[in-house]
Amino acid sequence: MSVAQGQEKSPQSRTLSRTLSRFSPGPTTSTTPTTRATSTGTGTTAVLLPSVALILALSCFFSPFIPVQAAVSASVVVDAAALPLSSAACGSPLLIERARTLTTTDHGLNCTPHSQFLASLVEPKAKTNANAAALDLQEEGVSPESTIVIDRTGVPAIDILKERWMGGSEDLIDVRSKVVSDLSLGGEAPPGVQQSPSPMFSLPPLNWIRTHLGTKSPYPHESRPVGPLKDTPEGYELVQLHLICRHGTRYPSASKSVGFKKLADRLKGVKLPGFEWIKDWPSDTVYPPTRGNLLSVQGDADLYQIGRRFSIRYKTLLDKYPYDASLYQFTTSAKSRCSQSAYGFSVGFFEGRLAADFGSDTETGVIGVRPLVQPIDISMLPIGLDKELAVKYACPRWLENVNNQPGVVRESKQFESQFAPALADHLSAVLSVGAESPAAKFNITVKDVGDIQNLCGFEIAMRNNDKTWCRLLGLGLSSSSEGGDYRNDEVKDSEAKDVFRKYEIMGDLDDYYTHGPGVPFNRHLGCKLGTSLVEAVELALTEDSTSGRVSIPKEDKYPNTFGSDGDDEEPRTYRALLKFGHSETILFFSSFLGLYNQKGVPLTADMTSEQYAEREFQTSKVSPFAANIAFEVYRPIAETSPSTRKSRRRLDTETASPADSNIKSTPRGLIRLLVNEVPMVLPGCGGEYFCEWPTFKEVLQRAGTGCDFDGCCSTLTKPTPPPGTEVEAKSKAKAAFLAAVRRFRHQTVLNSEAKPQLPDCLAVDPVVK
């Protein structure tokens, strides 16, 4: 072929070279040779071997402006080890000597300046994907029979050039991940791309899955309001803030991590295209048992971000009341994930605000560098004594009669039996496709499917990743569209959404009875938080604003004591009470408030899909990681002076009836509830967001503030057996026999002794039997 012929074909060759220069070669399982007749001349054919291609590239680097003297007719085949062709590749006699003839496609090779070669690596983002690459080939006249072979993992046999030449330049787009994403979702291969068969699966959008993972759902930071508090009622001021918060995103428990590893080890033999990642799944690295239940990095970020938003929202309160350990109370469960969450929140809450500087010599004469973050005081009680945050461990009756009791978990188990066994059998069949022997087939159990769903949840909550275990849940599901394109509309991924919804409902049924309103006794476990709320609000609404102390006089307990530190004398009103606990802390307290049982419709296993869609109790919304319940307390501005408050109390006393003359009048004020940073109407407040404090205090009192927590929790009673069972019959017969014996032997004693008065405790039996 003449030089003129080579130059005539150079535009097409340069386009092909530019397109191929985006990629570096990857492994292939097959090749599809294509041929095209040579125009004239010898038609020498050659293959670019690794070392040859490198020499060609280097020849242009060191001789960037020397044109090719003799065009070479070469056959370019994308090989597993070959370096990419680009417009920098140049002919060399050494290439001819080492070449092996495979096909007869002509390509003119031209040298370009080094700067142009580097510039060709940085293509516009709209062009840097496999579809655009294939279209470029077709538009420039390259034979449509030429194919880019896709290996069985769905990865093109050509890889990104940046990985070898640019060291991960951000100017290049990861074409491989784009192609893999498109193909693994069941989509069609780009033009000129041949796809190996792979099982179809449906996967809902990542943002949709994030909101349907129950208590493992990530916190919805992206949709939370950001901005200063602007809707304070006229004539009122914010004087107190309450926060009850769940810890942030955590690692799975050690036992779950061990179970996850065992499951991954069993599935290492999966041979399905697109699921080869299971073979190298780094379970010990991703979810090490040694980090069981510890707060993750995402958990740190969760509470810091919430703290920052609270800092912006309550800037006026923070400006007026700088941090003081007597003004801001931080309390946490004794679990490290909770105390770490409290600290993470404080960093965001007080960012840019150091310890108060009151201008004294002591404050201004600090020696050395002050800390960059505000040190805070965090208090906690040991597990077993904490009756607010780790409350279930302080209640033996709940542990004995509610936790994991057959009647309590019956609804969730019944619901699971309606879909999980069939899903397990389906996964077993799909994963066993291509098994060479019965022993090579996979036996997926109901527990395995539950572990897969759990892994999916942690992958999304901790790593925002739906490319691994989540895909197993939608594996092999049919589609309403031909060709299995699951990427676009909701109809196509409805079956996969149904799988996620069912696991979400199953978890809700479990929590509804274990921690929620499904067992009346659960409300009792939120009564201590309710009682603390009432006491703190009362102090905030009756305080003396000039001193920040409660205006009610207190007797001197130790009049003759000198040198008392006064820690327990006239406590100041807290401006913020910030408490950090667990998922069940949120659920118990929500049950106490009656937030998600206002319709009075129990959650059961036999409800319709429409009823499930309208259910009040949804843990994905109620108690995701970092879930929080906040109360804003507002006091009338006109009543901040001592004289005004005295007049108000005297008026209340004069107008009070004799029956309640001894009852202290309830101070005026407003209170507002926020759930996960969004205002919510309080039950019993007539649909108003800002509820009169006397009204809401009455609601709390009816719910059980001031309850006998210890009396009820120490009264151990066996739960009622399920009706119509052999256990129930035996229990009744035994009870009747023992009652007869007691009446016969101790009739006189029973009549003469006063019966002990047991506290008025709520029932431990589920509301649905």
Side-chain angles (χ1 to χ4, degrees), residues 543-549 640-642 645:
E543 69 170 349
D544 182 344
S545 63
T546 59
S547 64
R549 298 177 183 272
T640 56
S641 65
R645 285 198 311 280

Side-chain angles (χ1 to χ4, degrees), residues 189-200:
V193 176
Q194 179 180 344
Q195 181 181 359
S196 299
S198 63
M200 294 184 300

Side-chain angles (χ1 to χ4, degrees), residues 512-585:
Y512 181 80
Y513 293 97
T514 303
H515 305 113
V519 171
F521 186 73
N522 290 335
R523 302 203 307 269
H524 181 76
L525 274 73
C527 75
K528 279 294 185 180
L529 280 172
T531 302
S532 299
L533 174 66
V534 171
E535 293 173 351
V537 173
E538 292 277 285
L539 289 176
L541 295 179
T542 57
E543 69 170 349
D544 182 344
S545 63
T546 59
S547 64
R549 298 177 183 272
V550 178
S551 58
I552 301 175
K554 300 181 67 177
E555 297 181 0
D556 190 352
K557 296 181 181 180
Y558 309 102
N560 298 321
T561 301
F562 296 94
S564 173
D565 59 10
D567 281 353
D568 297 326
E569 296 179 14
E570 299 187 44
R572 295 173 65 95
T573 300
Y574 286 110
R575 294 303 164 191
L577 296 96
L578 311 159
K579 304 180 179 183
F580 299 83
H582 305 269
S583 173
E584 59 267 21
T585 308

Side-chain angles (χ1 to χ4, degrees), residues 450-654:
D451 285 343
I452 291 172
Q453 193 269 346
N454 259 296
L455 271 165
C456 169
F458 280 107
E459 280 287 275
I460 288 180
M462 289 181 57
R463 291 146 51 89
N464 202 35
N465 173 32
D466 64 345
K467 307 301 183 186
T468 53
W469 295 96
C470 294
R471 295 187 173 187
L472 285 172
L473 293 176
L475 185 61
L477 295 179
S478 60
S479 171
S480 60
S481 70
E482 296 182 2
D485 185 354
Y486 298 93
R487 291 173 296 175
N488 299 319
D489 57 66
E490 187 166 329
V491 175
K492 297 174 184 177
D493 54 22
S494 60
E495 292 182 71
K497 284 186 175 181
D498 189 53
V499 172
F500 283 93
R501 284 195 187 99
K502 285 177 178 176
Y503 270 105
E504 181 187 23
I505 293 169
M506 189 185 80
D508 288 352
L509 283 166
D510 187 5
D511 279 312
Y512 181 80
Y513 293 97
T514 303
H515 305 113
V519 171
F521 186 73
N522 290 335
R523 302 203 307 269
H524 181 76
L525 274 73
C527 75
K528 279 294 185 180
L529 280 172
T531 302
S532 299
L533 174 66
V534 171
E535 293 173 351
V537 173
E538 292 277 285
L539 289 176
L541 295 179
T542 57
E543 69 170 349
D544 182 344
S545 63
T546 59
S547 64
R549 298 177 183 272
V550 178
S551 58
I552 301 175
K554 300 181 67 177
E555 297 181 0
D556 190 352
K557 296 181 181 180
Y558 309 102
N560 298 321
T561 301
F562 296 94
S564 173
D565 59 10
D567 281 353
D568 297 326
E569 296 179 14
E570 299 187 44
R572 295 173 65 95
T573 300
Y574 286 110
R575 294 303 164 191
L577 296 96
L578 311 159
K579 304 180 179 183
F580 299 83
H582 305 269
S583 173
E584 59 267 21
T585 308
I586 299 294
L587 297 178
F588 284 141
F589 190 52
S590 298
S591 300
F592 174 81
L593 296 174
L595 297 182
Y596 306 108
N597 195 38
Q598 299 186 49
K599 297 179 182 179
V601 179
L603 191 63
T604 61
D606 56 358
M607 299 175 76
T608 65
S609 57
E610 291 77 14
Q611 289 174 313
Y612 284 130
E614 296 176 358
R615 69 190 186 279
E616 294 180 85
F617 190 84
Q618 298 184 52
T619 55
S620 297
K621 298 179 180 179
V622 177
S623 188
F625 284 121
N628 52 85
I629 296 174
F631 291 96
E632 299 169 345
V633 181
Y634 297 87
R635 184 180 60 191
I637 297 177
E639 295 193 1
T640 56
S641 65
S643 59
T644 304
R645 285 198 311 280
K646 288 180 181 179
S647 299
R648 174 66 182 174
R649 286 198 299 273
R650 183 173 61 254
L651 179 63
D652 290 338
T653 302
E654 292 173 354

Side-chain angles (χ1 to χ4, degrees), residues 283-332:
S283 185
D284 290 333
T285 302
V286 180
Y287 303 116
T290 54
R291 303 204 70 183
N293 282 329
L294 295 183
L295 198 69
S296 67
V297 175
Q298 179 60 54
D300 292 331
D302 288 335
L303 273 299
Y304 170 77
Q305 292 177 44
I306 295 174
R308 287 301 303 142
R309 289 194 294 271
F310 271 61
S311 177
I312 296 170
R313 180 177 179 85
Y314 303 112
K315 180 180 183 298
T316 302
L317 184 71
L318 291 170
D319 288 344
K320 186 175 182 180
Y321 303 103
Y323 176 79
D324 187 308
S326 64
L327 297 178
Y328 293 86
Q329 183 189 63
F330 282 81
T331 311
T332 84

Side-chain angles (χ1 to χ4, degrees), residues 307-506:
R308 287 301 303 142
R309 289 194 294 271
F310 271 61
S311 177
I312 296 170
R313 180 177 179 85
Y314 303 112
K315 180 180 183 298
T316 302
L317 184 71
L318 291 170
D319 288 344
K320 186 175 182 180
Y321 303 103
Y323 176 79
D324 187 308
S326 64
L327 297 178
Y328 293 86
Q329 183 189 63
F330 282 81
T331 311
T332 84
S333 164
K335 300 292 185 180
S336 65
R337 56 187 179 274
C338 299
S339 57
Q340 192 172 342
S341 294
Y343 178 71
F345 176 89
S346 74
V347 172
F349 195 47
F350 297 115
E351 188 169 68
R353 301 172 181 272
L354 295 179
D357 185 353
F358 299 107
S360 65
D361 293 338
T362 303
E363 295 291 339
T364 58
V366 176
I367 298 176
V369 179
R370 297 175 68 181
L372 298 178
V373 295
Q374 171 64 60
I376 61 168
D377 171 51
I378 301 178
S379 62
M380 65 182 72
L381 288 173
I383 297 295
L385 298 179
D386 186 351
K387 301 171 186 177
E388 291 190 356
L389 303 177
V391 59
K392 66 182 183 182
Y393 301 108
C395 188
R397 188 183 183 198
W398 184 90
L399 294 171
E400 178 72 20
N401 296 299
V402 178
N403 190 37
N404 292 326
Q405 290 299 312
V408 173
V409 300
R410 182 176 61 249
E411 296 296 321
S412 63
K413 293 296 183 183
Q414 180 181 336
F415 186 82
E416 182 184 41
S417 66
Q418 298 173 11
F419 76 96
L423 182 58
D425 293 341
H426 170 78
L427 275 178
S428 298
V430 175
L431 292 174
S432 298
V433 170
E436 300 175 354
S437 65
K441 293 185 178 181
F442 294 94
N443 179 27
I444 303 299
T445 66
V446 170
K447 180 182 181 303
D448 292 335
V449 183
D451 285 343
I452 291 172
Q453 193 269 346
N454 259 296
L455 271 165
C456 169
F458 280 107
E459 280 287 275
I460 288 180
M462 289 181 57
R463 291 146 51 89
N464 202 35
N465 173 32
D466 64 345
K467 307 301 183 186
T468 53
W469 295 96
C470 294
R471 295 187 173 187
L472 285 172
L473 293 176
L475 185 61
L477 295 179
S478 60
S479 171
S480 60
S481 70
E482 296 182 2
D485 185 354
Y486 298 93
R487 291 173 296 175
N488 299 319
D489 57 66
E490 187 166 329
V491 175
K492 297 174 184 177
D493 54 22
S494 60
E495 292 182 71
K497 284 186 175 181
D498 189 53
V499 172
F500 283 93
R501 284 195 187 99
K502 285 177 178 176
Y503 270 105
E504 181 187 23
I505 293 169
M506 189 185 80

